[in-house]
Amino acid sequence: MKTSRRTFLISTIGVASSLALSRQAFADAPKVAESDPTAQALGYKEDASKVDKAKFAKYAPGQDCGNCSFYQGKASDPYAPCPMFAGKQVAAKGWCSAYNKKA
Ligand code: SF4
């Protein structure tokens, strides 16, 4: 009995600390650089108003990461992860050609 309670406590602590770690990892995740090869391929700009409109004609003013369905943060978060750039954060004011308006 004593052993299983101890095992339970140890595994609970383990889960709690991994959660804390992943939250920390989220906050510390690097920001996507515009020079990143994926960013270049997708035309990602940290400032949506700087999108190359000749190359990415689908861009329309008002579109940005903050209102894209892929943005993994609240619209009010200045940066949040995006699955297009695994493990990195994009700017709420940014944009890339994978933009998909949040429903
Ligand atoms: Fe931003 Fe959406 Fe492109 Fe991700 S997929 S970088 S959230 S516009």
Side-chain angles (χ1 to χ4, degrees):
M1 235 7 201
K2 213 171 176 186
T3 313
S4 66
R5 185 176 142 77
R6 208 173 133 182
T7 311
F8 171 75
L9 277 175
I10 290 169
S11 39
T12 310
I13 291 166
V15 168
S17 50
S18 356
L19 279 177
L21 269 178
S22 54
R23 283 196 66 84
Q24 189 59 34
F26 165 86
D28 290 345
K31 297 180 174 83
V32 173
E34 290 176 2
S35 57
D36 179 300
T38 312
Q40 300 228 313
L42 292 175
Y44 171 77
K45 291 285 177 199
E46 191 153 320
D47 177 352
S49 68
K50 305 234 162 59
V51 168
D52 181 347
K53 294 163 191 90
K55 211 166 158 191
F56 299 101
K58 71 172 263 190
Y59 170 76
Q63 296 180 348
D64 61 30
C65 295
N67 59 40
C68 170
S69 65
F70 295 112
Y71 195 63
Q72 314 250 286
K74 292 187 278 266
S76 56
D77 292 338
Y79 287 87
C82 165
M84 301 304 151
F85 302 95
K88 293 185 181 165
Q89 301 193 76
V90 295
K93 297 276 165 246
W95 185 90
C96 90
S97 59
Y99 175 85
N100 182 47
K101 191 173 171 48
K102 196 181 271 178

